[in-house]
Amino acid sequence: MKALFLSCTLKRSPEDSNSEALASVLKEAFAAEDVETETIRLVDLDIHPGVTSDEGDGDEWPRVHEALLESEILVVVTPTWVGRPSSVAQKMIERMDAMIAETDDDDRPVAYDRVAGVVVTGNEDGAHHVISEISGALGDIGYTIPGQAWTYWNKGPGPGDDYPDTDEGHDWSASTGRAAAQNLLTVARALSGGTMKAPPD
Amino acid sequence: MKALFLSCTLKRSPEDSNSEALASVLKEAFAAEDVETETIRLVDLDIHPGVTSDEGDGDEWPRVHEALLESEILVVVTPTWVGRPSSVAQKMIERMDAMIAETDDDDRPVAYDRVAGVVVTGNEDGAHHVISEISGALGDIGYTIPGQAWTYWNKGPGPGDDYPDTDEGHDWSASTGRAAAQNLLTVARALSGGTMKAPPD
Amino acid sequence: MKALFLSCTLKRSPEDSNSEALASVLKEAFAAEDVETETIRLVDLDIHPGVTSDEGDGDEWPRVHEALLESEILVVVTPTWVGRPSSVAQKMIERMDAMIAETDDDDRPVAYDRVAGVVVTGNEDGAHHVISEISGALGDIGYTIPGQAWTYWNKGPGPGDDYPDTDEGHDWSASTGRAAAQNLLTVARALSGGTMKAPPD
Amino acid sequence: MKALFLSCTLKRSPEDSNSEALASVLKEAFAAEDVETETIRLVDLDIHPGVTSDEGDGDEWPRVHEALLESEILVVVTPTWVGRPSSVAQKMIERMDAMIAETDDDDRPVAYDRVAGVVVTGNEDGAHHVISEISGALGDIGYTIPGQAWTYWNKGPGPGDDYPDTDEGHDWSASTGRAAAQNLLTVARALSGGTMKAPPD
C-alpha cells in the first residue's frame, strides 16, 4: 500500500509550504500503519500544459503519472487562492484527464480501486469549495472518495494569519486529518485486489 | 432608489437570523444615503416550488416578484449550510429564473440596470463559494454584480461560534459591508435611467 | 442491500420528472442484481426547513431519515436550475447535516460504509457542477463516493430540449448510468459489514 | 475604451484555440463600436507561479498587468477541463490577486470602474460553472460583472465534438456573445471617469 501526496503549492522548494505542513499529519498517520508515502511538489517540476500523459520533450509529468499508478492512495495538498484550488492543482487535474481513457489489463480505468483525499490551507475562506472541486474532478477520473477524507485549516473572516503563524484551530485540523488518513486507508484496503469491475457495455 | 433584502435564512420569524444581523450594516449604510430598504424573510412566506413567476393558488412569490421589479438594488442574505447557499436561496433563484424571459417596454430583460450583492454568515467555511454561486446565477438572469459587492462572516477551521457569539472579525465584516453598500449604490446610480440596451438579435 | 433514490425534482406527483426517467436506468441495473430500490419524491412530502433530523409537528423528514439509515446506497436524482442543484436537493443536504453528529453503536457517523451517487438532467449546461456540489456535501456527511458513480443528460449550448423530447445522447447517459450502478454496488459491497472505523480522537 | 482578451487555452501558438474562435464574435462587436481590442494568449508567455504582480527575473506577467491597467474591459477566454476553468485561467486569477491591494491616486482598488466577462468552450458540460468561478474571483478583485456578460459553446451529454467540428449551436453562442459585448461596453461606459469611490473605512 502506497500513499502519494501531490503538493500543489505555488512555492518552489526549499520554501516552506503551509499546506504541506498540515499534510504531515496524514503522513505520520500513514507511517504508523506501515503505508509508504511519497511527496511530489509539482511546481518544482517542468510540467507542460496539456491533457495527455506525456506532452513530449522535457515534460516531467510522466514520472508523476508513474507514481500515481504505483499508489493506491492519492492525497492532493493545495492552498486556497481567491477561494479556489491553486492553478497547480488544476494543471494536475488536466494532466490526469488522460487517465479516464487509460485502462488496465482487465479493461478497467486505471483509477479504479484507488482512493483520493484533499488537504487544504488558506489564509481565507474557501476550503470546502476546494475540496468539492478536486474531489469532484477525481471522481470523474475514476477515483473513489471515501467519506470524510479531507482536512483543512484557515481563519475567517477576511485575510488572516497563515497556518504556521498561530496555533488556533490546529487541533481540529489535525484530528480531522487523522480521521481522513484512516478513512482513506480503510477504503483503499477494502477496494484492493481488483474489486471494481470494467464498465458494462 | 430602493434596495430589497431577500433573507434566505432557514429560521422562521421571530427567531433571530445571524445573516440578517450582518445585513443590518448595509441597511444602515443605505439609509444614510436616503435609499429606501425593504426586507423579506422568504421562509415566512408560502413560496411554491417551480420556475415561473406565479405558481398559482396560495403561492406568495408574486409579491416578492413585484418587490424585485420595484428595486434597483437586490441584496441576497443567506447562511451557509454544508458549504453551500441555503435551499431558500436556491428556491429564490429558481423562481427568478422566469425573469430571464420577462422584458420591459423596450424589450430589455427586466433585470437590466439592476444590481445585486450578497451577505453571508456561517459557523464554518464556505462564504466565497456562496457568493460566487449566487452572483453567478443572478448574472445569468441579467443583474449586474458591482465589484466587491458582498460581505461575510464565519470562523474557521471546523464548526465554530455563530456571529452573535463573539465580536471576533465583526469589524472587518462591517467595514467590508459598508464598502459593498457603497459599490451597489454607485453602480445602481450609474446604470439608472435605461442604460442597458435590449440584446441585439 | 438497498438503494434509496431521493428525487429532488420541483414537480409534484403525478407530473413526470425528467431526472427520474433517467434514474430508471440505475434502478433496472440494481434490480438485475437483486438490490431492493425505493424512490421518494421529496417535493411530495412536507419537509420543514431546518438542520435537525426532526423539525417537529407535521415534518415528514423523519421517514426519509429512516429510509436513509436502511439503505447502503443513496442515489440523488436532481434537475439543474440556473446551473445548480435544485432547492429540493439543497434542502435534503441541510436535513442530512444532522447526520454528521449521529453515530451508531460503534461511535461511527451513521453515513460510514454507505455510498452515494448522482443522476442529473437539465435542458442546459451544469451537470458536472451539480454532481460535484452534491457529492462534496455528501462526502462531508460521511458518504463514500465511488469512482464514476453518476450519469447525466443535457444539451448545449443554451436552453434546449428536455430529456424525453429527443433520443439524442440517451445511449451515452444510459451506458454511463449502468456503470454508475455497478460502481455504487461494488463499493457498497466492499464496505459492508462495519468496514470503516470510528474516527480516532 | 479598450478591451483586453486574456486567452487561457492550454495550446501554444500557432495552434488553433476553440475558445478564441468563439471570442472573435465579441471582438468584431467591439470593433464595430470603435473599441480597441488586444488578445494575449497567456500560455505563450513565461508567467511565473505566484501572487504578486512581478515575480522577478524572466517573469512575463508584468506586461499583462500593464495591459490590464490600460483596459476598461476584460474578457477571459477559457476552455473547460474536467468541468472547470483551465489552469491557465486560475494562474491568471492568482497573479491578479495582488490587484486587490493596488490602488490608484484616489485610493481606489485599480479594478474599480472596470468590467469583465467570460467566453467558454468545451467538448463537454461545465460552462456555467466556469463562468461563475471566474466572475466570482474577478468580483473579489474589484471588477464589475455586467448582467449577461458571457457566452459559451459545448455539446452534451458526454464527450463530443469540438467547436469547429460542427455548426450546431453556433448561432445561439454568437448571438449571446454579441449581447455580452454590448453589455460589457454599456456598463464600462456608464462607469467610466472615476465613478466608483474609494472604500469607506
Side-chain angles (χ1 to χ4, degrees), chain B residues 10 12 49 81-82 84-87 90-91 94 97 129 133 136-137, chain C residues 10 49 81-82 84-87 90-91 94 97 129 133 136-137:
Chain B
L10 302 185
R12 292 212 176 90
W81 284 111
V82 197
R84 339 266 153 192
S86 82
S87 57
Q90 176 60 18
K91 193 189 238 189
E94 288 162 357
D97 188 56
H129 180 53
E133 287 290 278
Chain C
L10 302 185
W81 284 112
V82 196
R84 338 266 154 195
S86 83
S87 57
Q90 176 60 19
K91 193 189 239 188
E94 288 161 359
D97 188 56
H129 180 53
E133 288 289 277

PDB file of all heavy atoms in Angstrom, chain B residues 10 12 49 81-82 84-87 90-91 94 97 129 133 136-137, chain C residues 10 49 81-82 84-87 90-91 94 97 129 133 136-137:
ATOM      1  N   LEU B  10     -32.993  29.844   7.209  1.00  0.00           N
ATOM      2  CA  LEU B  10     -33.919  28.722   7.388  1.00  0.00           C
ATOM      3  C   LEU B  10     -34.861  28.947   8.573  1.00  0.00           C
ATOM      4  O   LEU B  10     -35.779  28.171   8.799  1.00  0.00           O
ATOM      5  CB  LEU B  10     -33.145  27.425   7.629  1.00  0.00           C
ATOM      6  CG  LEU B  10     -32.153  26.983   6.561  1.00  0.00           C
ATOM      7  CD1 LEU B  10     -31.578  25.617   6.922  1.00  0.00           C
ATOM      8  CD2 LEU B  10     -32.798  26.932   5.179  1.00  0.00           C
ATOM      9  N   ARG B  12     -37.730  30.628  10.804  1.00  0.00           N
ATOM     10  CA  ARG B  12     -38.950  31.424  10.673  1.00  0.00           C
ATOM     11  C   ARG B  12     -38.944  32.545  11.707  1.00  0.00           C
ATOM     12  O   ARG B  12     -38.401  32.412  12.804  1.00  0.00           O
ATOM     13  CB  ARG B  12     -40.167  30.521  10.886  1.00  0.00           C
ATOM     14  CG  ARG B  12     -40.362  29.490   9.777  1.00  0.00           C
ATOM     15  CD  ARG B  12     -41.865  29.197   9.564  1.00  0.00           C
ATOM     16  NE  ARG B  12     -42.030  28.271   8.426  1.00  0.00           N
ATOM     17  CZ  ARG B  12     -42.046  26.936   8.543  1.00  0.00           C
ATOM     18  NH1 ARG B  12     -41.907  26.368   9.721  1.00  0.00           N
ATOM     19  NH2 ARG B  12     -42.204  26.178   7.470  1.00  0.00           N
ATOM     20  N   PRO B  49     -42.739  25.501  -4.977  1.00  0.00           N
ATOM     21  CA  PRO B  49     -41.640  25.090  -5.855  1.00  0.00           C
ATOM     22  C   PRO B  49     -42.032  25.339  -7.303  1.00  0.00           C
ATOM     23  O   PRO B  49     -43.190  25.170  -7.671  1.00  0.00           O
ATOM     24  CB  PRO B  49     -41.504  23.587  -5.571  1.00  0.00           C
ATOM     25  CG  PRO B  49     -42.798  23.169  -4.959  1.00  0.00           C
ATOM     26  CD  PRO B  49     -43.379  24.379  -4.290  1.00  0.00           C
ATOM     27  N   TRP B  81     -24.815  26.417   4.513  1.00  0.00           N
ATOM     28  CA  TRP B  81     -25.099  25.085   5.048  1.00  0.00           C
ATOM     29  C   TRP B  81     -24.351  24.040   4.243  1.00  0.00           C
ATOM     30  O   TRP B  81     -24.529  23.924   3.033  1.00  0.00           O
ATOM     31  CB  TRP B  81     -26.614  24.793   5.075  1.00  0.00           C
ATOM     32  CG  TRP B  81     -27.251  25.527   6.209  1.00  0.00           C
ATOM     33  CD1 TRP B  81     -28.110  26.582   6.131  1.00  0.00           C
ATOM     34  CD2 TRP B  81     -27.012  25.301   7.608  1.00  0.00           C
ATOM     35  NE1 TRP B  81     -28.427  27.025   7.395  1.00  0.00           N
ATOM     36  CE2 TRP B  81     -27.771  26.258   8.315  1.00  0.00           C
ATOM     37  CE3 TRP B  81     -26.230  24.396   8.331  1.00  0.00           C
ATOM     38  CZ2 TRP B  81     -27.768  26.321   9.722  1.00  0.00           C
ATOM     39  CZ3 TRP B  81     -26.235  24.459   9.713  1.00  0.00           C
ATOM     40  CH2 TRP B  81     -27.004  25.421  10.401  1.00  0.00           C
ATOM     41  N   VAL B  82     -23.496  23.280   4.963  1.00  0.00           N
ATOM     42  CA  VAL B  82     -22.609  22.296   4.332  1.00  0.00           C
ATOM     43  C   VAL B  82     -21.847  22.969   3.172  1.00  0.00           C
ATOM     44  O   VAL B  82     -21.677  22.393   2.097  1.00  0.00           O
ATOM     45  CB  VAL B  82     -23.370  21.033   3.887  1.00  0.00           C
ATOM     46  CG1 VAL B  82     -22.403  19.883   3.628  1.00  0.00           C
ATOM     47  CG2 VAL B  82     -24.364  20.587   4.953  1.00  0.00           C
ATOM     48  N   ARG B  84     -22.621  25.525   1.273  1.00  0.00           N
ATOM     49  CA  ARG B  84     -23.395  25.987   0.099  1.00  0.00           C
ATOM     50  C   ARG B  84     -24.446  27.027   0.517  1.00  0.00           C
ATOM     51  O   ARG B  84     -24.790  27.117   1.702  1.00  0.00           O
ATOM     52  CB  ARG B  84     -24.136  24.828  -0.597  1.00  0.00           C
ATOM     53  CG  ARG B  84     -23.606  23.444  -0.338  1.00  0.00           C
ATOM     54  CD  ARG B  84     -22.616  22.949  -1.363  1.00  0.00           C
ATOM     55  NE  ARG B  84     -21.745  21.968  -0.705  1.00  0.00           N
ATOM     56  CZ  ARG B  84     -20.618  21.489  -1.215  1.00  0.00           C
ATOM     57  NH1 ARG B  84     -20.185  21.884  -2.384  1.00  0.00           N
ATOM     58  NH2 ARG B  84     -19.875  20.647  -0.563  1.00  0.00           N
ATOM     59  N   PRO B  85     -25.010  27.746  -0.466  1.00  0.00           N
ATOM     60  CA  PRO B  85     -26.118  28.660  -0.162  1.00  0.00           C
ATOM     61  C   PRO B  85     -27.306  27.858   0.373  1.00  0.00           C
ATOM     62  O   PRO B  85     -27.463  26.678   0.039  1.00  0.00           O
ATOM     63  CB  PRO B  85     -26.477  29.266  -1.525  1.00  0.00           C
ATOM     64  CG  PRO B  85     -25.350  28.957  -2.446  1.00  0.00           C
ATOM     65  CD  PRO B  85     -24.676  27.729  -1.909  1.00  0.00           C
ATOM     66  N   SER B  86     -28.149  28.487   1.160  1.00  0.00           N
ATOM     67  CA  SER B  86     -29.296  27.774   1.721  1.00  0.00           C
ATOM     68  C   SER B  86     -30.266  27.359   0.621  1.00  0.00           C
ATOM     69  O   SER B  86     -30.301  27.936  -0.464  1.00  0.00           O
ATOM     70  CB  SER B  86     -30.020  28.654   2.739  1.00  0.00           C
ATOM     71  OG  SER B  86     -30.898  29.541   2.092  1.00  0.00           O
ATOM     72  N   SER B  87     -31.085  26.357   0.928  1.00  0.00           N
ATOM     73  CA  SER B  87     -32.102  25.891  -0.024  1.00  0.00           C
ATOM     74  C   SER B  87     -33.091  27.010  -0.345  1.00  0.00           C
ATOM     75  O   SER B  87     -33.657  27.049  -1.434  1.00  0.00           O
ATOM     76  CB  SER B  87     -32.847  24.684   0.544  1.00  0.00           C
ATOM     77  OG  SER B  87     -33.438  24.996   1.790  1.00  0.00           O
ATOM     78  N   GLN B  90     -31.607  29.013  -3.130  1.00  0.00           N
ATOM     79  CA  GLN B  90     -31.735  28.336  -4.417  1.00  0.00           C
ATOM     80  C   GLN B  90     -33.183  28.378  -4.907  1.00  0.00           C
ATOM     81  O   GLN B  90     -33.438  28.545  -6.102  1.00  0.00           O
ATOM     82  CB  GLN B  90     -31.234  26.893  -4.329  1.00  0.00           C
ATOM     83  CG  GLN B  90     -31.403  26.060  -5.603  1.00  0.00           C
ATOM     84  CD  GLN B  90     -30.679  26.612  -6.824  1.00  0.00           C
ATOM     85  OE1 GLN B  90     -29.770  27.427  -6.728  1.00  0.00           O
ATOM     86  NE2 GLN B  90     -31.120  26.196  -8.018  1.00  0.00           N
ATOM     87  N   LYS B  91     -34.138  28.275  -3.996  1.00  0.00           N
ATOM     88  CA  LYS B  91     -35.546  28.391  -4.395  1.00  0.00           C
ATOM     89  C   LYS B  91     -35.817  29.788  -4.967  1.00  0.00           C
ATOM     90  O   LYS B  91     -36.524  29.941  -5.969  1.00  0.00           O
ATOM     91  CB  LYS B  91     -36.443  28.126  -3.184  1.00  0.00           C
ATOM     92  CG  LYS B  91     -37.902  27.905  -3.539  1.00  0.00           C
ATOM     93  CD  LYS B  91     -38.769  27.877  -2.284  1.00  0.00           C
ATOM     94  CE  LYS B  91     -39.532  26.567  -2.174  1.00  0.00           C
ATOM     95  NZ  LYS B  91     -40.532  26.595  -1.081  1.00  0.00           N
ATOM     96  N   GLU B  94     -34.537  29.834  -8.451  1.00  0.00           N
ATOM     97  CA  GLU B  94     -35.426  29.086  -9.355  1.00  0.00           C
ATOM     98  C   GLU B  94     -36.636  29.931  -9.755  1.00  0.00           C
ATOM     99  O   GLU B  94     -37.036  29.945 -10.918  1.00  0.00           O
ATOM    100  CB  GLU B  94     -35.875  27.784  -8.686  1.00  0.00           C
ATOM    101  CG  GLU B  94     -34.750  26.755  -8.584  1.00  0.00           C
ATOM    102  CD  GLU B  94     -35.001  25.643  -7.578  1.00  0.00           C
ATOM    103  OE1 GLU B  94     -36.047  25.672  -6.893  1.00  0.00           O
ATOM    104  OE2 GLU B  94     -34.132  24.764  -7.451  1.00  0.00           O
ATOM    105  N   ASP B  97     -35.720  32.579 -12.184  1.00  0.00           N
ATOM    106  CA  ASP B  97     -35.359  32.065 -13.498  1.00  0.00           C
ATOM    107  C   ASP B  97     -36.321  32.580 -14.581  1.00  0.00           C
ATOM    108  O   ASP B  97     -35.921  32.841 -15.714  1.00  0.00           O
ATOM    109  CB  ASP B  97     -35.376  30.529 -13.465  1.00  0.00           C
ATOM    110  CG  ASP B  97     -34.824  29.890 -14.736  1.00  0.00           C
ATOM    111  OD1 ASP B  97     -33.670  30.199 -15.092  1.00  0.00           O
ATOM    112  OD2 ASP B  97     -35.538  29.091 -15.374  1.00  0.00           O
ATOM    113  N   HIS B 129     -17.633  30.701  -1.826  1.00  0.00           N
ATOM    114  CA  HIS B 129     -18.373  29.853  -2.759  1.00  0.00           C
ATOM    115  C   HIS B 129     -19.833  30.287  -2.843  1.00  0.00           C
ATOM    116  O   HIS B 129     -20.414  30.375  -3.934  1.00  0.00           O
ATOM    117  CB  HIS B 129     -18.263  28.396  -2.313  1.00  0.00           C
ATOM    118  CG  HIS B 129     -18.989  27.462  -3.205  1.00  0.00           C
ATOM    119  ND1 HIS B 129     -18.789  27.432  -4.566  1.00  0.00           N
ATOM    120  CD2 HIS B 129     -19.940  26.525  -2.962  1.00  0.00           C
ATOM    121  CE1 HIS B 129     -19.572  26.499  -5.106  1.00  0.00           C
ATOM    122  NE2 HIS B 129     -20.282  25.950  -4.154  1.00  0.00           N
ATOM    123  N   GLU B 133     -21.728  31.448  -6.237  1.00  0.00           N
ATOM    124  CA  GLU B 133     -22.900  30.732  -6.732  1.00  0.00           C
ATOM    125  C   GLU B 133     -24.074  31.683  -6.948  1.00  0.00           C
ATOM    126  O   GLU B 133     -24.737  31.647  -7.983  1.00  0.00           O
ATOM    127  CB  GLU B 133     -23.319  29.642  -5.730  1.00  0.00           C
ATOM    128  CG  GLU B 133     -22.399  28.455  -5.697  1.00  0.00           C
ATOM    129  CD  GLU B 133     -22.494  27.609  -6.958  1.00  0.00           C
ATOM    130  OE1 GLU B 133     -23.404  26.776  -7.056  1.00  0.00           O
ATOM    131  OE2 GLU B 133     -21.642  27.803  -7.850  1.00  0.00           O
ATOM    132  N   GLY B 136     -23.240  34.381  -9.637  1.00  0.00           N
ATOM    133  CA  GLY B 136     -23.231  33.770 -10.964  1.00  0.00           C
ATOM    134  C   GLY B 136     -24.639  33.547 -11.485  1.00  0.00           C
ATOM    135  O   GLY B 136     -24.940  33.820 -12.655  1.00  0.00           O
ATOM    136  N   ALA B 137     -25.522  33.069 -10.624  1.00  0.00           N
ATOM    137  CA  ALA B 137     -26.907  32.823 -11.040  1.00  0.00           C
ATOM    138  C   ALA B 137     -27.614  34.139 -11.370  1.00  0.00           C
ATOM    139  O   ALA B 137     -28.329  34.239 -12.371  1.00  0.00           O
ATOM    140  CB  ALA B 137     -27.651  32.074  -9.940  1.00  0.00           C
TER     141      ALA B 137
ATOM    142  N   LEU C  10     -38.616  19.507  -8.941  1.00  0.00           N
ATOM    143  CA  LEU C  10     -39.535  20.530  -8.417  1.00  0.00           C
ATOM    144  C   LEU C  10     -40.991  20.175  -8.685  1.00  0.00           C
ATOM    145  O   LEU C  10     -41.897  20.867  -8.215  1.00  0.00           O
ATOM    146  CB  LEU C  10     -39.229  21.889  -9.071  1.00  0.00           C
ATOM    147  CG  LEU C  10     -37.812  22.453  -8.910  1.00  0.00           C
ATOM    148  CD1 LEU C  10     -37.756  23.855  -9.511  1.00  0.00           C
ATOM    149  CD2 LEU C  10     -37.401  22.486  -7.447  1.00  0.00           C
ATOM    150  N   PRO C  49     -38.136  23.365   6.781  1.00  0.00           N
ATOM    151  CA  PRO C  49     -36.784  23.913   6.713  1.00  0.00           C
ATOM    152  C   PRO C  49     -36.080  23.672   8.047  1.00  0.00           C
ATOM    153  O   PRO C  49     -36.715  23.752   9.096  1.00  0.00           O
ATOM    154  CB  PRO C  49     -37.010  25.406   6.475  1.00  0.00           C
ATOM    155  CG  PRO C  49     -38.420  25.678   6.883  1.00  0.00           C
ATOM    156  CD  PRO C  49     -39.179  24.397   6.737  1.00  0.00           C
ATOM    157  N   TRP C  81     -31.057  23.750 -12.235  1.00  0.00           N
ATOM    158  CA  TRP C  81     -31.748  25.039 -12.408  1.00  0.00           C
ATOM    159  C   TRP C  81     -30.746  26.174 -12.279  1.00  0.00           C
ATOM    160  O   TRP C  81     -30.094  26.312 -11.257  1.00  0.00           O
ATOM    161  CB  TRP C  81     -32.905  25.185 -11.416  1.00  0.00           C
ATOM    162  CG  TRP C  81     -34.070  24.351 -11.856  1.00  0.00           C
ATOM    163  CD1 TRP C  81     -34.571  23.233 -11.259  1.00  0.00           C
ATOM    164  CD2 TRP C  81     -34.850  24.560 -13.043  1.00  0.00           C
ATOM    165  NE1 TRP C  81     -35.606  22.722 -12.001  1.00  0.00           N
ATOM    166  CE2 TRP C  81     -35.817  23.512 -13.102  1.00  0.00           C
ATOM    167  CE3 TRP C  81     -34.844  25.501 -14.081  1.00  0.00           C
ATOM    168  CZ2 TRP C  81     -36.737  23.385 -14.147  1.00  0.00           C
ATOM    169  CZ3 TRP C  81     -35.754  25.387 -15.113  1.00  0.00           C
ATOM    170  CH2 TRP C  81     -36.701  24.336 -15.145  1.00  0.00           C
ATOM    171  N   VAL C  82     -30.662  26.972 -13.343  1.00  0.00           N
ATOM    172  CA  VAL C  82     -29.676  28.052 -13.424  1.00  0.00           C
ATOM    173  C   VAL C  82     -28.284  27.501 -13.079  1.00  0.00           C
ATOM    174  O   VAL C  82     -27.495  28.129 -12.379  1.00  0.00           O
ATOM    175  CB  VAL C  82     -30.068  29.261 -12.546  1.00  0.00           C
ATOM    176  CG1 VAL C  82     -29.265  30.497 -12.935  1.00  0.00           C
ATOM    177  CG2 VAL C  82     -31.546  29.584 -12.680  1.00  0.00           C
ATOM    178  N   ARG C  84     -27.377  24.940 -11.241  1.00  0.00           N
ATOM    179  CA  ARG C  84     -27.119  24.459  -9.867  1.00  0.00           C
ATOM    180  C   ARG C  84     -28.077  23.311  -9.515  1.00  0.00           C
ATOM    181  O   ARG C  84     -29.096  23.142 -10.169  1.00  0.00           O
ATOM    182  CB  ARG C  84     -27.324  25.576  -8.830  1.00  0.00           C
ATOM    183  CG  ARG C  84     -27.218  26.998  -9.326  1.00  0.00           C
ATOM    184  CD  ARG C  84     -25.850  27.617  -9.175  1.00  0.00           C
ATOM    185  NE  ARG C  84     -25.721  28.673 -10.207  1.00  0.00           N
ATOM    186  CZ  ARG C  84     -24.595  29.249 -10.571  1.00  0.00           C
ATOM    187  NH1 ARG C  84     -23.463  28.916 -10.005  1.00  0.00           N
ATOM    188  NH2 ARG C  84     -24.557  30.154 -11.533  1.00  0.00           N
ATOM    189  N   PRO C  85     -27.781  22.578  -8.435  1.00  0.00           N
ATOM    190  CA  PRO C  85     -28.725  21.566  -7.954  1.00  0.00           C
ATOM    191  C   PRO C  85     -30.037  22.229  -7.545  1.00  0.00           C
ATOM    192  O   PRO C  85     -30.037  23.395  -7.148  1.00  0.00           O
ATOM    193  CB  PRO C  85     -28.020  20.983  -6.709  1.00  0.00           C
ATOM    194  CG  PRO C  85     -26.608  21.420  -6.767  1.00  0.00           C
ATOM    195  CD  PRO C  85     -26.578  22.680  -7.577  1.00  0.00           C
ATOM    196  N   SER C  86     -31.124  21.503  -7.596  1.00  0.00           N
ATOM    197  CA  SER C  86     -32.414  22.088  -7.227  1.00  0.00           C
ATOM    198  C   SER C  86     -32.436  22.455  -5.752  1.00  0.00           C
ATOM    199  O   SER C  86     -31.688  21.907  -4.936  1.00  0.00           O
ATOM    200  CB  SER C  86     -33.545  21.117  -7.536  1.00  0.00           C
ATOM    201  OG  SER C  86     -33.698  20.180  -6.487  1.00  0.00           O
ATOM    202  N   SER C  87     -33.340  23.367  -5.401  1.00  0.00           N
ATOM    203  CA  SER C  87     -33.503  23.768  -3.995  1.00  0.00           C
ATOM    204  C   SER C  87     -33.926  22.579  -3.142  1.00  0.00           C
ATOM    205  O   SER C  87     -33.620  22.524  -1.942  1.00  0.00           O
ATOM    206  CB  SER C  87     -34.532  24.895  -3.879  1.00  0.00           C
ATOM    207  OG  SER C  87     -35.775  24.500  -4.431  1.00  0.00           O
ATOM    208  N   GLN C  90     -30.794  20.820  -2.111  1.00  0.00           N
ATOM    209  CA  GLN C  90     -30.091  21.528  -1.037  1.00  0.00           C
ATOM    210  C   GLN C  90     -30.830  21.367   0.290  1.00  0.00           C
ATOM    211  O   GLN C  90     -30.208  21.218   1.344  1.00  0.00           O
ATOM    212  CB  GLN C  90     -29.915  23.007  -1.391  1.00  0.00           C
ATOM    213  CG  GLN C  90     -29.281  23.865  -0.290  1.00  0.00           C
ATOM    214  CD  GLN C  90     -27.871  23.430   0.127  1.00  0.00           C
ATOM    215  OE1 GLN C  90     -27.174  22.723  -0.596  1.00  0.00           O
ATOM    216  NE2 GLN C  90     -27.451  23.847   1.315  1.00  0.00           N
ATOM    217  N   LYS C  91     -32.170  21.356   0.228  1.00  0.00           N
ATOM    218  CA  LYS C  91     -32.936  21.131   1.458  1.00  0.00           C
ATOM    219  C   LYS C  91     -32.640  19.739   2.020  1.00  0.00           C
ATOM    220  O   LYS C  91     -32.483  19.557   3.240  1.00  0.00           O
ATOM    221  CB  LYS C  91     -34.437  21.272   1.176  1.00  0.00           C
ATOM    222  CG  LYS C  91     -35.290  21.371   2.406  1.00  0.00           C
ATOM    223  CD  LYS C  91     -36.774  21.286   2.065  1.00  0.00           C
ATOM    224  CE  LYS C  91     -37.523  22.523   2.530  1.00  0.00           C
ATOM    225  NZ  LYS C  91     -38.998  22.368   2.362  1.00  0.00           N
ATOM    226  N   GLU C  94     -29.357  19.935   3.776  1.00  0.00           N
ATOM    227  CA  GLU C  94     -29.480  20.618   5.066  1.00  0.00           C
ATOM    228  C   GLU C  94     -30.032  19.679   6.138  1.00  0.00           C
ATOM    229  O   GLU C  94     -29.550  19.662   7.269  1.00  0.00           O
ATOM    230  CB  GLU C  94     -30.371  21.852   4.919  1.00  0.00           C
ATOM    231  CG  GLU C  94     -29.686  22.980   4.152  1.00  0.00           C
ATOM    232  CD  GLU C  94     -30.646  24.016   3.578  1.00  0.00           C
ATOM    233  OE1 GLU C  94     -31.869  23.869   3.755  1.00  0.00           O
ATOM    234  OE2 GLU C  94     -30.170  24.956   2.925  1.00  0.00           O
ATOM    235  N   ASP C  97     -27.513  17.213   7.259  1.00  0.00           N
ATOM    236  CA  ASP C  97     -26.412  17.802   8.022  1.00  0.00           C
ATOM    237  C   ASP C  97     -26.361  17.241   9.449  1.00  0.00           C
ATOM    238  O   ASP C  97     -25.285  17.061  10.026  1.00  0.00           O
ATOM    239  CB  ASP C  97     -26.588  19.327   8.052  1.00  0.00           C
ATOM    240  CG  ASP C  97     -25.399  20.051   8.658  1.00  0.00           C
ATOM    241  OD1 ASP C  97     -24.273  19.854   8.174  1.00  0.00           O
ATOM    242  OD2 ASP C  97     -25.585  20.815   9.617  1.00  0.00           O
ATOM    243  N   HIS C 129     -21.147  20.364 -12.416  1.00  0.00           N
ATOM    244  CA  HIS C 129     -21.147  21.174 -11.197  1.00  0.00           C
ATOM    245  C   HIS C 129     -22.139  20.612 -10.184  1.00  0.00           C
ATOM    246  O   HIS C 129     -21.841  20.524  -8.982  1.00  0.00           O
ATOM    247  CB  HIS C 129     -21.490  22.616 -11.552  1.00  0.00           C
ATOM    248  CG  HIS C 129     -21.518  23.526 -10.368  1.00  0.00           C
ATOM    249  ND1 HIS C 129     -20.475  23.622  -9.478  1.00  0.00           N
ATOM    250  CD2 HIS C 129     -22.473  24.363  -9.894  1.00  0.00           C
ATOM    251  CE1 HIS C 129     -20.785  24.484  -8.528  1.00  0.00           C
ATOM    252  NE2 HIS C 129     -21.992  24.937  -8.750  1.00  0.00           N
ATOM    253  N   GLU C 133     -21.186  19.396  -6.431  1.00  0.00           N
ATOM    254  CA  GLU C 133     -21.789  20.023  -5.251  1.00  0.00           C
ATOM    255  C   GLU C 133     -22.426  18.987  -4.347  1.00  0.00           C
ATOM    256  O   GLU C 133     -22.235  18.989  -3.128  1.00  0.00           O
ATOM    257  CB  GLU C 133     -22.854  21.045  -5.687  1.00  0.00           C
ATOM    258  CG  GLU C 133     -22.289  22.313  -6.304  1.00  0.00           C
ATOM    259  CD  GLU C 133     -21.608  23.183  -5.254  1.00  0.00           C
ATOM    260  OE1 GLU C 133     -22.312  23.947  -4.566  1.00  0.00           O
ATOM    261  OE2 GLU C 133     -20.374  23.074  -5.117  1.00  0.00           O
ATOM    262  N   GLY C 136     -19.770  16.467  -2.984  1.00  0.00           N
ATOM    263  CA  GLY C 136     -18.938  17.134  -1.988  1.00  0.00           C
ATOM    264  C   GLY C 136     -19.658  17.239  -0.650  1.00  0.00           C
ATOM    265  O   GLY C 136     -19.081  16.985   0.413  1.00  0.00           O
ATOM    266  N   ALA C 137     -20.930  17.601  -0.691  1.00  0.00           N
ATOM    267  CA  ALA C 137     -21.704  17.733   0.547  1.00  0.00           C
ATOM    268  C   ALA C 137     -21.881  16.375   1.209  1.00  0.00           C
ATOM    269  O   ALA C 137     -21.737  16.232   2.428  1.00  0.00           O
ATOM    270  CB  ALA C 137     -23.057  18.379   0.256  1.00  0.00           C
TER     271      ALA C 137
END
